Amino acid sequence: MGIRERNRLAVERDISEAAMRLFVTQGFDATTTDQIAREAGVSPRSLFRYVGSKEDIVLGDMLAAGESVLGALRERPPAEGPWEALRAALRVLEGNPPDRALALATMFLETPSLRARRLEKRLAWLGLLVPEITRRLGRTPGDVPDPAAHAIVAAALACLDSATEIWARRGGAGDVVAVFDEALDAVRHA
């Protein structure tokens, strides 16, 4: 990685950290992009060279996260069932420290525009993950998604969102993975 790329990543990290501090203390909607730029030590114009919107600061690169899940899914044993493989692959998302994860989850609960943007970005994950789940079901991926594979991926992502929301409503108490497992079990065995 060259110096230019390292500098770009450092500025993006500074912007993200400054924004999160402001979002936690003031709330997402009450924080302006000018405040974020000032807190990060960049001009408002420079801020938008690094991020597209306030929502993008919080959501980060969700496509890259989806690709990480896909990579983990492809590494799962071929004989593993689709639900088990998808559940295990989603574990790559466990990277945020609990306090940051709780702050993010709470922001999604309290900010409808942020929640909608996350859902929009998460829908792209269907296109990434459905073909791999289709293969795990012993079928050939095609131009039109396999309904079973599509339903499995959509349900697993809904369970992930539900678990995160419930965990946030509990103030971060308990284990979010256990809540996710409970949600998956309910969907699979209801």
Side-chain angles (χ1 to χ4, degrees), residues 2-189:
I3 193 160
R4 193 174 272 175
E5 179 67 10
R6 284 194 309 262
N7 286 340
R8 183 186 65 76
L9 291 173
V11 171
E12 286 176 0
R13 185 188 64 244
D14 291 347
I15 291 170
S16 177
E17 289 172 1
M20 286 303 294
R21 282 192 304 273
L22 291 168
F23 294 153
V24 167
T25 58
Q26 300 177 175
F28 182 82
D29 288 330
T31 301
T32 68
T33 54
D34 286 342
Q35 290 172 321
I36 295 168
R38 193 169 38 257
E39 180 80 11
V42 297
S43 71
R45 186 175 181 182
S46 292
L47 177 76
F48 289 110
R49 276 194 296 235
Y50 292 98
V51 297
S53 68
K54 258 184 6 178
E55 287 85 0
D56 290 334
I57 294 170
V58 174
L59 295 169
D61 191 351
M62 280 193 69
L63 184 57
E67 289 169 354
S68 294
V69 173
L70 176 60
L73 183 59
R74 287 180 173 154
E75 291 175 4
R76 301 302 306 162
E80 193 171 46
W83 286 102
E84 293 77 16
L86 193 52
R87 183 216 176 270
L90 286 167
R91 300 283 310 244
V92 301
L93 300 175
E94 298 174 12
N96 280 327
D99 57 333
R100 183 174 173 97
L102 181 58
L104 286 169
T106 302
M107 256 190 283
F108 290 128
L109 277 175
E110 296 172 349
T111 314
S113 65
L114 190 56
R115 198 174 180 144
R117 183 80 168 128
R118 180 182 68 168
L119 177 60
E120 176 188 321
K121 287 182 171 253
R122 184 70 61 78
L123 287 175
W125 289 19
L126 287 168
L128 291 172
L129 303 175
V130 167
E132 185 61 29
I133 295 299
T134 301
R135 281 189 274 284
R136 284 189 177 273
L137 292 171
R139 302 172 185 165
T140 304
D143 292 337
V144 176
D146 177 85
H150 193 275
I152 289 169
V153 173
L157 295 177
C159 288
L160 178 64
D161 289 342
S162 293
T164 304
E165 180 177 331
I166 290 164
W167 178 74
R169 288 182 187 276
R170 291 177 179 169
D175 180 11
V176 69
V177 175
V179 179
F180 176 59
D181 286 341
E182 185 178 344
L184 274 181
D185 285 343
V187 168
R188 291 182 64 195
H189 302 108

